[in-house]
């Protein structure tokens, strides 16, 4: 009987000790993205979301002693998800624009994007000056969509010229099927799509140069400050360059 009691007591003590020394649950940092935008975000063979944005967010979360959770969603629902608090931050190769700034705050920029034009190798389109009257494929809600669907007075081609797709891969598929004459999209995913599909090329002339940043809810200035501090430390440590260099090989 004594022995049983002693054992029970020992077991209780072990459990109590384990409970005390268990690390406190880390606060979760929820990041939203659209994981069809290589090399910034894509899904690997194990169904994990990887890429530049995922690694930058993981490095920031580590600095903030938070646990990163990534949610995949349509690109054009990210701003609403941020402002409604459904996610804490969006990292999605997202361009800083004046219009988006009305709905969310942006962190300091961590990368540059360039809007480029993908055409088929045999295309008659030689530069962006040839886009008039052509069918243009874009990813819905992106800056490529916003520029191209704008009026000709504002440098666009008008609503009717634009076909919208849920992601870049579908827009590229439409180009391969002959449903559109070109796709306007960011340069790094463009390179990845051209590499993955035969018969495509990127025009030399660029459409626009943009800054990528993380979007955070207007009222969450505390997270914005913490995010920017972590980001600037990571930049100073060379960590951002290291992450980018892992996914984008210098030409
Ligand atoms: N940079 C573009 C934008 O912000 C496209 C981003 C994306 O498709 N993930 O609109």
């Amino acid at each position: 009987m004594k022995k049983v009691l002693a054992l029970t007591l020992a077991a209780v003590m072990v459990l109590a000790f384990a409970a005390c020394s268990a690390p406190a649950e880390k606060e979760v940092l929820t990041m939203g993205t659209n994981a069809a935008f290589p090399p910034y975000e894509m899904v690997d063979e194990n169904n994990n979301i990887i890429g530049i944005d995922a690694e930058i967010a993981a490095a920031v979360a580590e600095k903030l002693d938070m646990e990163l959770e990534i949610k995949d969603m349509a690109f054009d629902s990210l701003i609403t998800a941020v402002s409604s608090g459904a996610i804490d931050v969006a990292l999605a190769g997202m361009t800083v624009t004046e219009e988006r700034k009305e709905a969310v705050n942006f962190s300091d920029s961590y990368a540059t994007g360039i809007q480029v034009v993908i055409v088929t190798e045999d295309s008659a389109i030689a530069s962006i000056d040839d886009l008039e009257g052509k069918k243009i494929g874009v990813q819905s809600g992106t800056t490529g969509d916003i520029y191209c669907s704008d009026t000709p007075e504002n440098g666009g081609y008008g609503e009717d010229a634009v076909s919208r797709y849920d992601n870049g891969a579908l827009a590229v598929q439409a180009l391969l099927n002959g449903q559109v004459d070109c796709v306007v999209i960011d340069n790094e995913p463009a390179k990845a799509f051209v590499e993955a599909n035969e018969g495509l090329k990127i025009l030399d002339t660029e459409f626009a140069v943009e800054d990528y940043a993380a979007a955070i809810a207007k009222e969450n200035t505390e997270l914005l400050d913490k995010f920017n501090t972590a980001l600037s430390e990571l930049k100073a440590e060379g960590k951002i360059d290291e992450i980018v260099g892992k996914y984008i090989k210098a030409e």
Side-chain angles (χ1 to χ4, degrees):
M1 188 60 192
K2 244 189 184 164
K3 201 169 175 189
V4 171
L5 198 72
L7 276 174
T8 313
L9 209 73
V12 167
M13 280 168 73
V14 166
L15 281 177
F17 182 74
C20 290
S21 61
E25 286 271 303
K26 277 191 189 177
E27 217 185 310
V28 174
L29 179 70
T30 311
M31 158 189 161
T33 197
N34 173 243
F37 196 72
Y40 286 91
E41 35 269 335
M42 59 265 191
V43 178
D44 73 3
E45 60 278 6
N46 300 318
N47 250 340
N48 292 319
I49 295 172
I50 58 162
I52 294 170
D53 285 334
E55 291 207 23
I56 290 177
V60 168
E62 197 185 331
K63 284 218 179 267
L64 304 184
D65 196 28
M66 293 172 89
E67 193 187 322
L68 181 69
E69 205 175 279
I70 305 180
K71 284 189 184 166
D72 193 12
M73 55 185 75
F75 181 80
D76 57 9
S77 49
L78 284 167
I79 295 280
T80 313
V82 167
S83 50
S84 72
I87 55 174
D88 300 316
V89 58
L91 273 90
M94 189 182 283
T95 304
V96 178
T97 71
E98 290 308 315
E99 203 191 331
R100 290 173 183 164
K101 271 198 212 165
E102 285 172 19
V104 293
N105 280 332
F106 280 103
S107 71
D108 297 331
S109 178
Y110 59 84
T112 301
I114 305 169
Q115 294 300 310
V116 297
V117 185
I118 309 178
V119 293
T120 52
E121 258 163 13
D122 57 3
S123 175
I125 302 172
S127 88
I128 53 172
D129 302 328
D130 303 330
L131 290 190
E132 221 171 305
K134 296 290 187 297
K135 280 190 228 150
I136 305 168
V138 296
Q139 181 183 353
S140 187
T142 60
T143 47
D145 178 1
I146 296 161
Y147 300 143
C148 292
S149 56
D150 209 340
T151 56
E153 302 84 77
N154 288 330
Y157 303 94
E159 275 290 329
D160 293 346
V162 170
S163 299
R164 298 188 170 93
Y165 298 89
D166 279 345
N167 60 53
L170 290 173
V172 168
Q173 203 54 52
L175 174 62
L176 290 166
N177 295 342
Q179 288 156 309
V180 295
D181 301 310
C182 65
V183 169
V184 173
I185 194 167
D186 303 50
N187 59 326
E188 287 303 331
K191 278 194 242 163
F193 290 131
V194 167
E195 214 163 280
N197 295 282
E198 235 159 84
L200 299 178
K201 65 177 183 189
I202 299 170
L203 296 185
D204 287 335
T205 45
E206 295 164 350
F207 217 83
V209 180
E210 319 177 314
D211 289 324
Y212 290 169
I216 294 172
K218 285 256 189 231
E219 52 277 11
N220 202 352
T221 51
E222 190 193 332
L223 180 62
L224 182 70
D225 290 344
K226 287 201 287 187
F227 194 99
N228 278 334
T229 304
L231 189 63
S232 74
E233 283 173 22
L234 290 166
K235 283 180 185 170
E237 291 160 11
K239 183 72 183 167
I240 301 294
D241 285 343
E242 183 193 316
I243 293 170
V244 172
K246 187 171 149 187
Y247 288 94
I248 302 176
K249 301 290 166 222
E251 270 132 79

